[in-house]
Amino acid sequence: MTDQTASAFYQVYEVFSQRSAGSPMVHQFSLLAPNEDMALLLAKENFFRREPCTNLWVVRRDHIRMTDEDERLMFQRMDKVYRETKGYGEVRRQWRKYISEEEER
């Protein structure tokens, strides 16, 4: 089998596992397999020997959509300071300052 036919035959799959019910899925490793059934079988053979888990996912890498550069920039621009509680400690001081300025007028 040549490199070109091998790359057309095998797909890259990402393997995720869940340790117990209610815990999050965690990425474990990537593997090459000809189809999703073989990918699941290879993931079971490799992963179940290492540690127990309750759920196992295999996802073809090209079926995972990632954010592009423009979308990542959009997330950085979102100012959500109003959701943070660090500013509330200053409210009493600012309120007193405002009242004293109003009294001076």
Side-chain angles (χ1 to χ4, degrees), residues 29-81:
F29 54 89
S30 302
L31 59 85
L32 290 172
N35 58 40
E36 59 190 24
D37 293 329
M38 184 59 88
L40 185 60
L41 180 67
L42 291 170
K44 284 183 203 177
E45 289 296 319
N46 286 311
F47 191 73
F48 280 128
R49 283 188 257 156
R50 295 184 192 151
E51 59 185 75
C53 69
T54 59
N55 202 353
L56 196 61
W57 291 355
V58 291
V59 182
R60 229 167 82 185
R61 183 181 285 172
D62 58 353
H63 288 173
I64 298 173
R65 184 189 181 283
M66 296 180 3
T67 55
D68 60 17
E69 189 64 33
D70 292 336
E71 291 168 328
R72 282 184 288 239
L73 289 174
M74 178 189 67
F75 291 138
Q76 291 174 357
R77 289 187 206 130
M78 288 185 185
D79 184 20
K80 295 187 179 180
V81 177

Side-chain angles (χ1 to χ4, degrees), residues 76-93:
Q76 291 174 357
R77 289 187 206 130
M78 288 185 185
D79 184 20
K80 295 187 179 180
V81 177
Y82 62 90
R83 292 185 182 184
E84 299 172 3
T85 58
K86 66 183 179 186
Y88 292 114
E90 296 289 313
V91 170
R92 180 176 286 176
R93 185 185 61 78

